[in-house]
Amino acid sequence: MGISKFNKSSVYFDVNTEGFQFCKLKELKEGQVYKLLGVFLRDGKYGTYPIYIVDGWLVDGTPSMTEAVKMILADSEAVADIKAGKAGIKMRSYTNQFGKQYGIDYVDI
């Protein structure tokens, strides 16, 4: 494969997000499947984290979700499924030593 494998590539999902609002995971309805229109990574105060694009919303993920999103973006089949409307996310909550937390389950639609 050579050195070209280290070139950064980006995935373009062709989603017009004009008018979409940012929200936190905890603002999603728990257990509801949201069609995933796209996802991208953003750098912030606490590191790199994903932004999930769902209908009308740009949902802030957490840095702990970054590695999974990197794998999704590097997987052409997963990207094709997202573009074809065959992928979704579902918010779930759980409790740990830090209190109530929120996570994402990826769903085939």
Side-chain angles (χ1 to χ4, degrees), residues 14-31:
D14 195 26
V15 177
N16 180 358
T17 59
E18 186 176 333
F20 282 30
Q21 300 291 317
F22 278 92
C23 73
K24 297 183 184 311
L25 282 175
K26 67 182 180 179
E27 295 177 71
L28 298 180
K29 184 175 179 182
E30 187 163 7

Side-chain angles (χ1 to χ4, degrees), residues 19-24 27 40 42 49-52 56-60:
F20 282 30
Q21 300 291 317
F22 278 92
C23 73
K24 297 183 184 311
E27 295 177 71
F40 60 93
R42 181 181 228 181
Y49 63 97
I51 302 291
Y52 298 95
W57 299 101
L58 299 167
V59 184
D60 288 329

Side-chain angles (χ1 to χ4, degrees), residues 87-106:
I89 59 171
K90 183 171 48 171
M91 185 276 286
R92 62 179 161 72
S93 65
Y94 59 95
T95 303
N96 64 16
Q97 69 270 25
F98 302 109
K100 191 169 187 176
Q101 305 295 317
Y102 301 91
I104 289 284
D105 289 327
Y106 298 99

Side-chain angles (χ1 to χ4, degrees), residues 17-96:
T17 59
E18 186 176 333
F20 282 30
Q21 300 291 317
F22 278 92
C23 73
K24 297 183 184 311
L25 282 175
K26 67 182 180 179
E27 295 177 71
L28 298 180
K29 184 175 179 182
E30 187 163 7
Q32 180 176 332
V33 175
Y34 294 85
K35 186 186 291 187
L36 186 59
L37 305 175
V39 63
F40 60 93
L41 295 172
R42 181 181 228 181
D43 291 324
K45 182 177 179 180
Y46 300 107
T48 302
Y49 63 97
I51 302 291
Y52 298 95
I53 306 169
V54 300
D55 191 32
W57 299 101
L58 299 167
V59 184
D60 288 329
T62 65
S64 66
M65 299 170 182
T66 298
E67 286 308 310
V69 170
K70 284 180 180 179
M71 290 190 293
I72 290 168
L73 294 174
D75 185 309
S76 59
E77 186 177 333
V79 170
D81 284 348
I82 293 169
K83 289 181 176 183
K86 297 179 181 178
I89 59 171
K90 183 171 48 171
M91 185 276 286
R92 62 179 161 72
S93 65
Y94 59 95
T95 303
N96 64 16

